[in-house]
Amino acid sequence: IINNYVEGTQTGARDKASPSGLHFRDSKRKVDYVLAYHYRKRLARHVPGAASPEPRCGSASVALVSNGSTGKGRAEPQQQQQQDDSRRALQEWPGLPGLEVVELSPLDTLEEERRLQREEYERNLLEAGLEIEKDPENKSQGVSFVRIHAPWQVLSREAELLKIKMPTKKMYEITEEKGILKTLNEIWCKFTEPLQPQVPQQENTKMKTLSYPFSREKIYLYNIKDKDTFFDNATRSRIVREILKRTSTKTRNSMGIGTLIANNVYDAAYPLHDGEYEGQNDDRNERKLLYQEWARYGVFYKFQPIDLIRKYFGEKIGLYFAWLGLYTEFLIPSSVVGIIVFLYGCITIESDIPSKEMCDQRNAFTMCPLCDKFCDYWNLSSACATARASHLFDNPATVFFSIFMALWATMFLEQWKRLQMRLSYFWDLTGLEEEEEHPRPEYEAKLLQKKLENKNITTENSNENEKEKLTWSDRMPGYAVNFGLILFMIMLAFSAVFGVIVYRITTAAALSFSTNETTRSNVRVTVTATAVIINLVVVLILDEIYGAVAKWLTEIEIPKTEKTFEERLILKAFLLKFVNSYASIFYVAFFKGRFVGHPGHYVYVFEGYRMEECAPGGCLMELCIQLSIIMLGKQLIQNNLFEIGIPKLKKLFRKLKDERTEVKEIGTDQSKDPQQWDLDYILEPFTGLTPEYMEMIIQFGFVTLFVASFPLAPVFALLNNIIEVRLDAKKFVTELRRPDTVREKDIGIWYNILSGIGKLSVIINAFVIAVTSDFIPRLMYQYAYSQNGTMHGFINHTLSYFNVSQLKAGTQPENSLFAQEVSFCRFKDYREPPWSPHQYEFSKQYWAVLSARLAFVILFQNLVMFLSVLVDWMIPDIPKDISEQIKKEKTMLVDFFLKEEHEKLKLMESFIAHDKQKRRTGTKSRRTRAASFSQCDCSPKGSFTSFSSQHTMV
């Protein structure tokens, strides 16, 4: 029943395999898809009392299969009775030749069931029109491959069903931009020529082929030069995959290849790569071309061959790399501006008056102790280095950079919409309709279980049964578990942050007890550095846990289709990873140092530990350290080391497992060169683009959300992405099996997430500037409180007084080594002095600064939102030239149809006219022939020749 099936006795058949490994053994038919499975030949145990069987040979012998023990050491009485009946029945059939009685173990029974399912499934594939080639199972156990080829009849039928757009005979000229835009475009193309990848381009880039959904009735419209190459490899594999998805088996109600793989009937199903990506041969297939011009670190400076990526991997993956390329390009201007802002801080650090005042030892600001009992009074000038470093990121240019990055995010999203539309036009995705997806195997299994549990279903209403679906009540337990576990996981992330806070507080207190002067003086640096590293490790561990939890939670929801499953998985994973990545950063930015209290009335945790305060220079510097270490750590460890190392370890583990389980036998084909399906089988299976998008979206958050505290974030993101593009490319080309091509016209839910992050970044940056930085207090002092309109006296203005005699008993510094007697110490806050009637209450300056901060947040947010809307309005979503080309294409398609139909009509009319003429000629000939017959008897012999010649003419 299987084309080119090779019997197990033909051990030399492997030698006749196609040299390229991409065709059947006839070297003509392409391998469009491969199914792989593990087989294990059963170990027969003959039933006692039966005649000694003859050796098995093909289908000549008959096997009666009976289930053996249940695996618990005993058989059920009913099952034992059935076995006895079977044996008795066999004894009543004397002389039946080739009869073999086999008792199977539970493992053999399962293997036999899978084998029967495979045979039924492959029969159904043949009935669907596919052609199959199989390897001989000439070992006791191992991996076998089923190679599938789709002939022209199947390809044309399925292409029509799937409405796949194919090129027609008609080509038209693309209208080019004119004027200064054309000149600039030509200059740009000439300037970037060395950066273009050396891949085959369309012969005439000014012309575009008109495409139309394939139709067998209108096959004359299409430019079919060769039926074998009309559908490219990606389209052929996509068509075969659709057939595999909808082909079912009656055994265990398996619906499609997904269910069979889930039940371990098959191990894998994948299309083949186009040959080797390395080697000395001259065959430059598309895979080798992608490797040489795209998937190597040595070509990092070149543009991506997006059209070739789309052709080889499909539109969905093509759009991902196009998006990643545009995002990386947009990081270049933001990196340049970020470096300029950072350099501005470096240049103006010497002229910054508050930093000078803080570093001036003549001011002698005596600060209150940082901890109880063991900490001494200290001079503010000792925090000079922190103050100077804070100015690098806390300066007026930071406000400009925050506005710039908000507009940058809007322009990036607008430009992506335009590029997406341009690609949709050139890739013929403009009229793409949502295809009806096949239900997931888990959904079908749950639905089948529901049908079986429903006692009211009878054979009469079986048609209604087919329309049955899972309702919200069926999914309610899954939703409840989702809600509870997501809440728990978010609380776990907050608990991790709280744990790090406790570590900082306790470690700072412990180090303060140290007798070593150096240790005591570097307490803040030590605690901050170690806490951030611990936080990074926790974030990386929780990230992996959250990814697995999000997948499990989505599975118990039982979504119907793969698209719904993917969208729900993305939302859950993003929510959990967003909280995990940014929780500690939010704490430092908006909560640290806000609930400390004041000297004499501090807030304590665990009955003796004071809440931690910000550094004298403010929390912005610490926020910068926290953001930079987490961002760089995630990029270096998670995005690069994990992405390179884990696939290699998985590949090595799978190889070792196969070598351990596969029995080495004499006469096997181990010494032969592996075919392409063997090489692709050991590669890592493609699991989707969600991890690739997720790491870039989280990075986009680092670049936009807290950019006011770390202007160099775009620079590090750019450096990472230059490596990331080639890393992903190498992974797709060399380490993953070829993914199934999927036609998508956009990046889906990821765009909405990006847009949400862009809007959230405006609010967060407004609060970072207003609350975390000293920008607003400095403005208020300069224009409201300064006597001469300068920043002189700002540090003194922000420090409040405290009478040290009011310190609680047991909290005063022991053995103070401070030079002079201290009556008053200073602390950073806007509070009334001890000689005021309302001592230590918030002063008028505090409320004035708070009002200014809130006013700035409202003003900043509305201004940036207005500018973003303005940019959105000014830049159309669809480029003008593309919009005109789409209209032109529709008009040309109608004209082309009318012209072809007109020519077809003329051809039919000419056939009809020719047929009428033939009929007239035939009537006239019949009359002549009748006259010849009437004269036949009385005429001489030569007249018969005359008749014969006329008859031949007729």
Side-chain angles (χ1 to χ4, degrees):
I1 62 167
I2 297 174
N3 299 342
N4 289 10
Y5 181 77
V6 183
E7 292 293 340
T9 56
Q10 297 177 345
T11 53
R14 184 84 176 202
D15 299 335
K16 300 177 184 177
S18 166
S20 66
L22 300 173
H23 293 79
F24 278 13
R25 290 188 177 86
D26 57 11
S27 297
K28 293 179 181 177
R29 290 174 289 176
K30 285 183 180 177
V31 177
D32 296 320
Y33 222 85
V34 174
L35 305 179
Y37 64 90
H38 269 91
Y39 68 88
R40 176 180 173 275
K41 291 188 178 178
R42 68 171 174 265
L43 303 172
R45 294 179 297 175
H46 302 296
V47 179
S52 178
E54 297 294 325
R56 293 191 63 186
C57 180
S59 58
S61 61
V62 180
L64 182 71
V65 179
S66 64
N67 292 329
S69 63
T70 59
K72 297 180 181 178
R74 61 185 180 84
E76 296 291 336
Q78 186 179 359
Q79 191 177 7
Q80 189 66 42
Q81 181 65 35
Q82 288 176 351
Q83 292 178 4
D84 295 339
D85 292 344
S86 301
R87 292 169 188 162
R88 199 177 303 111
L90 288 172
Q91 290 171 1
E92 294 173 2
W93 292 351
L96 188 62
L99 181 66
E100 181 182 353
V101 182
V102 180
E103 186 176 359
L104 299 184
S105 67
L107 195 63
D108 288 332
T109 306
L110 184 61
E111 181 61 35
E112 184 69 18
E113 186 181 345
R114 288 172 181 169
R115 185 183 65 78
L116 293 173
Q117 274 190 274
R118 285 195 293 268
E119 287 181 0
E120 184 188 354
Y121 186 69
E122 286 158 18
R123 271 199 305 273
N124 293 342
L125 291 180
L126 288 168
E127 289 174 6
L130 297 175
E131 296 175 5
I132 293 176
E133 181 179 76
K134 289 185 72 173
D135 283 336
E137 296 178 5
N138 51 10
K139 293 183 286 186
S140 61
Q141 62 178 353
V143 180
S144 190
F145 299 94
V146 179
R147 296 176 288 282
I148 301 172
H149 168 77
W152 169 259
Q153 293 83 356
V154 175
L155 292 171
S156 56
R157 179 191 73 209
E158 297 297 322
E160 185 171 352
L161 287 172
L162 296 172
K163 298 179 181 177
I164 297 175
K165 282 189 173 183
M166 299 304 296
T168 62
K169 297 174 184 175
K170 177 69 176 176
M171 293 186 75
Y172 66 94
E173 188 176 359
I174 299 172
T175 307
E176 290 186 335
E177 295 174 338
K178 296 179 181 179
I180 191 168
L181 289 175
K182 183 181 179 182
T183 309
L184 290 173
N185 188 41
E186 288 174 354
I187 294 169
W188 174 251
C189 289
K190 199 157 190 175
F191 179 72
T192 58
E193 193 173 350
L195 306 179
Q196 298 295 337
Q198 302 300 313
V199 296
Q201 298 287 343
Q202 190 179 336
E203 293 178 2
N204 191 353
T205 54
K206 295 180 181 179
M207 302 295 290
K208 185 179 183 294
T209 306
L210 202 61
S211 297
Y212 186 72
F214 189 80
S215 171
R216 286 175 291 179
E217 291 181 357
K218 296 182 173 62
I219 201 164
Y220 55 88
L221 298 175
Y222 304 97
N223 187 21
I224 305 176
K225 295 177 182 177
D226 184 0
K227 288 185 177 181
D228 291 335
T229 58
F230 179 64
F231 295 103
D232 60 17
N233 291 347
T235 307
R236 294 174 73 97
S237 64
R238 178 188 166 205
I239 288 172
V240 174
R241 179 73 183 189
E242 286 298 320
I243 298 173
L244 293 175
K245 279 183 182 177
R246 68 166 186 260
T247 303
S248 60
T249 59
K250 292 180 181 177
T251 313
R252 297 183 68 177
N253 296 301
S254 296
M255 294 294 294
I257 189 65
T259 314
L260 294 173
I261 291 175
N263 294 335
N264 295 317
V265 177
Y266 290 101
D267 285 346
Y270 52 91
L272 291 180
H273 278 294
D274 286 359
E276 290 283 351
Y277 63 89
E278 287 181 312
Q280 301 300 323
N281 55 347
D282 297 330
D283 176 29
R284 279 196 42 139
N285 56 63
E286 289 180 351
R287 188 187 187 193
K288 183 179 285 189
L289 205 59
L290 283 170
Y291 178 73
Q292 292 174 349
E293 296 295 327
W294 178 54
R296 293 187 300 116
Y297 295 113
V299 292
F300 73 92
Y301 60 91
K302 289 189 176 183
F303 292 128
Q304 299 184 88
I306 292 297
D307 289 326
L308 186 60
I309 296 167
R310 170 252 178 177
K311 184 184 176 187
Y312 192 81
F313 292 111
E315 284 77 8
K316 188 172 185 178
I317 294 174
L319 282 172
Y320 163 71
F321 280 105
W323 175 84
L324 182 57
L326 182 70
Y327 172 47
T328 306
E329 287 175 17
F330 257 72
L331 283 172
I332 295 172
S334 61
S335 300
V336 171
V337 177
I339 291 171
I340 292 171
V341 169
F342 179 73
L343 291 176
Y344 172 82
C346 294
I347 294 167
T348 58
I349 194 168
E350 296 299 332
S351 59
D352 183 49
I353 296 172
S355 299
K356 282 184 177 181
E357 286 187 351
M358 192 178 286
C359 294
D360 190 357
Q361 295 184 2
R362 291 172 299 178
N363 288 328
F365 294 111
T366 303
M367 306 297 293
C368 296
L370 295 172
C371 66
D372 294 342
K373 198 174 182 180
F374 296 98
C375 295
D376 201 355
Y377 303 106
W378 56 286
N379 274 321
L380 185 60
S381 58
S382 63
C384 175
T386 310
R388 289 171 68 86
S390 295
H391 179 73
L392 297 176
F393 305 102
D394 189 1
N395 55 67
T398 306
V399 180
F400 158 76
F401 190 56
S402 299
I403 298 172
F404 169 81
M405 287 304 293
L407 297 178
W408 173 88
T410 305
M411 289 191 69
F412 164 63
L413 292 175
E414 286 302 309
Q415 189 61 30
W416 167 245
K417 282 195 283 188
R418 289 169 63 83
L419 177 60
Q420 191 171 253
M421 200 64 215
R422 191 175 291 277
L423 292 175
S424 295
Y425 165 69
F426 283 105
W427 293 353
D428 297 316
L429 301 171
T430 46
L432 186 66
E433 299 176 4
E434 290 290 333
E435 296 177 6
E436 186 178 350
E437 287 193 75
H438 300 282
R440 297 176 66 247
E442 294 81 0
Y443 179 86
E444 289 175 335
K446 184 71 176 177
L447 191 61
L448 180 64
Q449 184 183 349
K450 181 183 177 182
K451 291 175 182 177
L452 293 174
E453 288 174 357
N454 192 348
K455 304 296 183 183
N456 299 325
I457 295 175
T458 58
T459 53
E460 285 80 6
N461 59 359
S462 58
N463 292 332
E464 295 177 9
N465 188 22
E466 290 175 3
K467 296 178 183 177
E468 193 171 354
K469 61 181 181 180
L470 297 181
T471 59
W472 67 270
S473 57
D474 298 315
R475 293 193 174 98
M476 185 52 69
Y479 290 152
V481 173
N482 264 264
F483 178 77
L485 201 53
I486 287 174
L487 202 61
F488 171 76
M489 286 296 166
I490 291 173
M491 295 307 296
L492 180 64
F494 290 150
S495 302
V497 174
F498 182 71
V500 174
I501 294 169
V502 171
Y503 164 80
R504 295 159 74 114
I505 294 171
T506 54
T507 307
L511 291 175
S512 300
F513 300 156
S514 174
T515 55
N516 191 331
E517 180 63 30
T518 309
T519 305
R520 286 203 308 271
S521 60
N522 293 317
V523 167
R524 193 179 294 277
V525 176
T526 307
V527 169
T528 301
T530 53
V532 170
I533 292 170
I534 291 170
N535 196 31
L536 172 63
V537 173
V538 171
V539 166
L540 292 176
I541 293 170
L542 286 181
D543 246 10
E544 299 303 316
I545 295 171
Y546 284 172
V549 168
K551 188 176 181 183
W552 181 75
L553 287 175
T554 312
E555 284 172 351
I556 64 173
E557 275 188 30
I558 321 169
K560 184 174 181 180
T561 62
E562 283 296 338
K563 187 173 182 180
T564 313
F565 178 86
E566 189 178 22
E567 287 181 352
R568 293 184 184 181
L569 173 62
I570 288 167
L571 285 175
K572 290 183 187 64
F574 174 73
L575 174 63
L576 293 174
K577 293 191 177 188
F578 182 89
V579 172
N580 182 41
S581 298
Y582 300 118
S584 59
I585 299 172
F586 268 93
Y587 163 73
V588 174
F590 303 122
F591 298 101
K592 186 178 179 181
R594 311 289 168 196
F595 311 103
V596 177
H598 60 83
H601 196 268
Y602 283 115
V603 176
Y604 290 88
V605 289
F606 305 119
E607 299 180 355
Y609 294 103
R610 272 167 46 179
M611 282 294 291
E612 57 178 349
E613 304 177 50
C614 290
C619 274
L620 197 71
M621 189 63 203
E622 194 170 334
L623 176 62
C624 173
I625 295 170
Q626 184 95 3
L627 181 68
S628 59
I629 291 181
I630 291 178
M631 179 183 175
L632 296 176
K634 277 179 69 69
Q635 288 184 168
L636 182 65
I637 298 172
Q638 194 175 43
N639 298 1
N640 293 325
L641 293 182
F642 283 8
E643 206 164 335
I644 295 170
I646 289 177
K648 289 189 182 297
L649 289 174
K650 284 183 178 179
K651 185 179 177 180
L652 179 64
F653 176 75
R654 197 185 306 109
K655 189 178 180 181
L656 292 172
K657 184 182 175 184
D658 289 343
E659 286 176 357
R660 189 171 64 251
T661 56
E662 195 169 298
V663 180
K664 303 288 184 181
E665 297 180 13
I666 300 171
T668 59
D669 51 3
Q670 293 295 321
S671 60
K672 302 297 176 188
D673 291 334
Q675 296 293 314
Q676 190 62 48
W677 47 85
D678 296 310
L679 297 171
D680 286 5
Y681 178 70
I682 62 175
L683 297 177
E684 189 71 15
F686 174 68
T687 54
L689 287 169
T690 302
E692 316 301 333
Y693 272 115
M694 188 65 71
E695 63 187 54
M696 288 295 105
I697 297 294
I698 296 295
Q699 186 204 80
F700 183 78
F702 282 121
V703 169
T704 55
L705 291 179
F706 295 94
V707 76
S709 64
F710 189 40
L712 294 178
V715 179
F716 291 110
L718 174 63
L719 295 175
N720 174 79
N721 285 9
I722 290 171
I723 300 170
E724 181 72 23
V725 170
R726 306 302 160 178
L727 180 64
D728 284 349
K730 190 173 182 181
K731 185 170 69 174
F732 273 88
V733 173
T734 66
E735 295 174 5
L736 294 180
R737 292 176 192 156
R738 189 172 184 173
D740 294 304
T741 56
V742 179
R743 285 177 73 82
E744 292 283 355
K745 57 184 177 181
D746 51 39
I747 59 173
I749 197 171
W750 294 111
Y751 179 84
N752 299 329
I753 293 174
L754 284 167
S755 181
I757 290 175
K759 290 178 174 61
L760 183 63
S761 70
V762 177
I763 301 168
I764 290 178
N765 280 309
F767 275 99
V768 167
I769 295 168
V771 176
T772 314
S773 77
D774 280 340
F775 178 72
I776 299 300
R778 290 187 184 198
L779 278 183
M780 285 293 294
Y781 177 77
Q782 186 173 0
Y783 295 106
Y785 299 108
S786 177
Q787 296 177 355
N788 53 8
T790 64
M791 293 301 294
H792 288 286
F794 172 73
I795 297 297
N796 185 51
H797 176 75
T798 58
L799 297 176
S800 300
Y801 286 90
F802 180 76
N803 190 343
V804 297
S805 62
Q806 295 177 341
L807 285 170
K808 289 183 179 179
T811 63
Q812 299 95 338
E814 289 185 348
N815 306 320
S816 176
L817 301 175
F818 211 68
Q820 69 262 21
E821 185 69 25
V822 178
S823 301
F824 296 97
C825 66
R826 310 293 293 272
F827 63 99
K828 190 173 182 180
D829 207 346
Y830 291 102
R831 290 185 181 270
E832 295 288 349
W835 52 82
S836 169
H838 308 287
Q839 60 178 0
Y840 308 131
E841 291 185 4
F842 287 121
S843 62
K844 293 179 180 178
Q845 288 91 335
Y846 171 82
W847 298 111
V849 170
L850 181 63
S851 303
R853 281 173 165 163
L854 294 176
F856 175 82
V857 168
I858 295 169
L859 180 66
F860 182 89
Q861 180 185 335
N862 285 285
L863 173 65
V864 176
M865 288 290 187
F866 169 74
L867 292 174
S868 300
V869 170
L870 187 65
V871 169
D872 191 359
W873 175 75
M874 289 175 64
I875 303 175
D877 293 347
I878 305 175
K880 188 178 179 182
D881 59 324
I882 296 298
S883 178
E884 291 174 356
Q885 294 293 345
I886 291 171
K887 292 176 185 175
K888 180 181 176 181
E889 191 174 86
K890 287 179 180 178
T891 309
M892 292 198 70
L893 195 60
V894 173
D895 293 342
F896 177 60
F897 270 169
L898 291 174
K899 184 181 176 183
E900 289 293 329
E901 290 294 328
H902 183 62
E903 288 181 1
K904 184 180 174 184
L905 189 63
K906 281 174 67 178
L907 191 64
M908 288 176 64
E909 286 175 352
S910 67
F911 272 121
I912 292 168
H914 185 63
D915 191 47
K916 285 181 179 178
Q917 188 177 358
K918 281 177 70 176
R919 285 181 183 175
R920 289 198 202 100
T921 310
T923 308
K924 186 176 179 182
S925 300
R926 282 197 296 275
R927 289 174 185 167
T928 309
R929 188 168 57 186
S932 299
F933 271 117
S934 64
Q935 296 171 1
C936 188
D937 290 333
C938 56
S939 62
K941 287 181 180 179
S943 62
F944 185 80
T945 308
S946 155
F947 157 72
S948 180
S949 63
Q950 283 190 4
H951 180 67
T952 306
M953 231 168 76
V954 171

